[in-house]
Amino acid sequence: MFIEREIRQTVIDDLAHFPAVAILGPRQAGKTTLAKSVIASWPASLYLDLERHSHLAQLQDAEAFLSLHRDKLVCIDEVQLRPDLFPLLRALIDEHPQPARFLILGSASPELLRQSSETLAGRLSYVYVTPFQQRELLRAQSETQDWRALLWRGGFPKSWLASGDKQSMRWREAYIQAFIERDLRQFGVDLDPQHMRRLWLMCCHLHGQILNYSTLGQSLDITHPTVKRHIDILEATFMMRRLPPFALNTKKRLVKSPKLYIRDSGLLTCLLELDSFDKLFSHPVYGPGWEGFAIENILTMLQPRGIYGFFRTRIGQEIDLVVERQGKRLGFEFKTSSSPVLTRGNKAAADILELDKLFLVIPQGNAYPIHADKAWVTPLDQLAQYL
């Protein structure tokens, strides 16, 4: 089953204005499928997968080969395998600066992000591809649109589209193993696989909580700078998200450490060995799991260019997510109840933040206003129409 990605039109629009467009995202999130659907409709194009030796061999004299195809849109997949290409791409673009020269795909190793941002500044736009989000599946009228299935399976295409739950779980297990044992080394990271798995599992138990590097380091018997460096890598490869505290000038004492989330809920349930939604539902991670799932959906939907983060004071006044967008300040609280209520801490935080609108985001149900119409209870699948 083919599900067209919402971000496809953004790629096409950016190619009309930029010499190069980078599609970044985790392994197996659908970058290659997206890129091939774009170049299939292009007048002249060339696709190179640098994991294929035959394609890699064509770039032995990369300057001569790419110059030969300067009138085509050249798509380079897994570009992090040849970071030395970035200075050449810059030179070729500067020589012929027309739009749609290169479409480059990468799994966002730290080196890739550094090289591309320094070398191709002003010549390159970034488009980020995530695993499937709920809104995309609803628009595509996927066979099952049940949020429970998406929360448990996660959005990686091969996990979501697997023929059964057992096959979905098996795919995720293999994905995690391959990422730890192969992909990290391909990104130039030399870590003991068992050590990384223990760290990842410990982070699953801290999903949605304030991140404390020292506590993690003590649990794993490693230094907190080492923990931070490893989490940097997992974040740069889109496995984790550190949600920063929302910056606000106030006399209130604020929590200033980030919150930690596993970005794909399916990887979270797999690492915790929760082999069904029922087991997830009865697990302590269910509430934080819904929160992280909803945050990923909302940030993908809004693509905020401004400030976003969570807000929490030392005395418990909090909002799970705050986003500044188009001059508006929006707040989001995540509840698993079908009839949620605003806590005293939520109300106080909303007043401190001077929110334009506060949404209590729930898994399913009907939308309705509460608290003098400034707050709305809204199912995630209906949120877009209220934004």
Side-chain angles (χ1 to χ4, degrees), residues 54-122:
S54 59
H55 288 193
L56 194 59
Q58 295 179 65
L59 293 177
Q60 287 184 349
D61 187 346
E63 182 174 359
F65 181 81
L66 294 175
S67 296
L68 187 65
H69 296 282
R70 74 182 188 194
D71 294 328
K72 297 179 181 178
L73 170 60
V74 178
C75 178
I76 306 175
D77 203 345
E78 300 297 349
V79 71
Q80 72 273 355
L81 297 178
R82 285 288 305 272
D84 59 300
L85 287 176
F86 287 111
L88 173 60
L89 297 182
R90 182 192 65 186
L92 294 174
I93 287 170
D94 288 349
E95 184 179 352
H96 298 281
Q98 72 264 25
R101 292 290 311 277
F102 300 103
L103 181 61
I104 58 178
L105 282 60
S107 302
S109 69
E111 180 67 12
L112 170 62
L113 290 175
R114 185 184 69 79
Q115 286 266 7
S116 61
S117 62
E118 291 178 1
T119 310
L120 296 176

Side-chain angles (χ1 to χ4, degrees), residues 121 179 185 227 313:
F179 179 84
R185 283 189 169 83
V227 172
T313 69

Side-chain angles (χ1 to χ4, degrees), residues 51-297:
E51 286 196 322
R52 296 180 62 176
H53 293 299
S54 59
H55 288 193
L56 194 59
Q58 295 179 65
L59 293 177
Q60 287 184 349
D61 187 346
E63 182 174 359
F65 181 81
L66 294 175
S67 296
L68 187 65
H69 296 282
R70 74 182 188 194
D71 294 328
K72 297 179 181 178
L73 170 60
V74 178
C75 178
I76 306 175
D77 203 345
E78 300 297 349
V79 71
Q80 72 273 355
L81 297 178
R82 285 288 305 272
D84 59 300
L85 287 176
F86 287 111
L88 173 60
L89 297 182
R90 182 192 65 186
L92 294 174
I93 287 170
D94 288 349
E95 184 179 352
H96 298 281
Q98 72 264 25
R101 292 290 311 277
F102 300 103
L103 181 61
I104 58 178
L105 282 60
S107 302
S109 69
E111 180 67 12
L112 170 62
L113 290 175
R114 185 184 69 79
Q115 286 266 7
S116 61
S117 62
E118 291 178 1
T119 310
L120 296 176
R123 305 166 181 86
L124 174 74
S125 77
Y126 293 100
V127 177
Y128 293 93
V129 174
T130 68
F132 289 141
Q133 303 297 317
Q134 186 181 41
R135 186 181 176 200
E136 285 183 304
L137 297 177
L138 289 171
R139 285 185 60 182
Q141 295 184 335
S142 182
E143 290 179 7
T144 172
Q145 301 170 20
D146 190 349
W147 63 271
R148 299 172 186 85
L150 185 57
L151 180 61
W152 178 75
R153 285 194 179 196
F156 280 97
K158 289 185 178 179
S159 176
W160 172 250
L161 297 172
S163 58
D165 287 349
K166 183 178 180 180
Q167 291 77 12
S168 172
M169 190 72 163
R170 183 70 192 100
W171 183 89
R172 283 174 278 151
E173 290 169 348
Y175 180 90
I176 292 167
Q177 182 177 353
F179 179 84
I180 292 174
E181 296 180 359
R182 187 198 72 170
D183 294 348
L184 285 176
R185 283 189 169 83
Q186 199 172 73
F187 295 144
V189 178
D190 189 16
L191 297 175
D192 177 73
Q194 293 299 320
H195 183 83
M196 176 55 79
R197 182 177 282 272
R198 285 180 59 212
L199 172 62
W200 211 348
L201 180 58
M202 185 70 68
C203 290
C204 288
H205 290 289
L206 296 176
H207 181 85
Q209 298 183 35
I210 301 297
L211 178 57
N212 187 312
Y213 298 111
S214 296
T215 301
L216 264 177
Q218 290 170 7
S219 300
L220 297 167
D221 197 26
I222 56 178
T223 65
H224 74 269
T226 302
V227 172
K228 184 179 183 302
R229 186 168 64 253
H230 293 356
I231 291 179
D232 286 346
I233 293 164
L234 290 169
E235 184 173 43
T237 50
F238 300 103
M239 295 295 105
M240 293 186 186
R241 180 187 293 278
R242 280 176 292 198
L243 188 68
F246 186 79
L248 188 71
N249 293 323
T250 177
K251 294 181 180 179
K252 300 285 185 180
R253 295 184 62 199
L254 304 179
V255 172
K256 296 182 179 179
S257 297
K259 292 171 74 173
L260 183 68
Y261 296 91
I262 309 299
R263 291 192 61 167
D264 182 73
S265 58
L267 296 186
L268 172 69
T269 58
C270 182
L271 283 159
L272 292 173
E273 299 182 356
L274 304 174
D275 59 6
S276 69
F277 177 80
D278 288 344
K279 288 188 178 179
L280 169 62
F281 184 76
S282 60
H283 193 278
V285 83
Y286 173 59
W290 165 251
E291 180 179 320
F293 172 82
I295 286 173
E296 289 301 315
N297 275 265

Side-chain angles (χ1 to χ4, degrees), residues 3-69:
I3 298 176
E4 184 169 311
R5 305 307 303 266
E6 280 192 333
I7 206 73
R8 183 177 184 273
Q9 190 58 47
T10 302
V11 176
I12 293 171
D13 291 344
D14 283 1
L15 282 170
H17 296 91
F18 287 89
V21 174
I23 300 177
L24 301 179
R27 289 290 186 98
Q28 302 292 321
K31 300 186 299 296
T32 300
T33 302
L34 170 62
K36 287 183 174 180
S37 76
V38 170
I39 65 175
S41 61
W42 219 259
S45 62
L46 175 69
Y47 173 78
L48 298 171
D49 181 355
L50 299 192
E51 286 196 322
R52 296 180 62 176
H53 293 299
S54 59
H55 288 193
L56 194 59
Q58 295 179 65
L59 293 177
Q60 287 184 349
D61 187 346
E63 182 174 359
F65 181 81
L66 294 175
S67 296
L68 187 65
H69 296 282

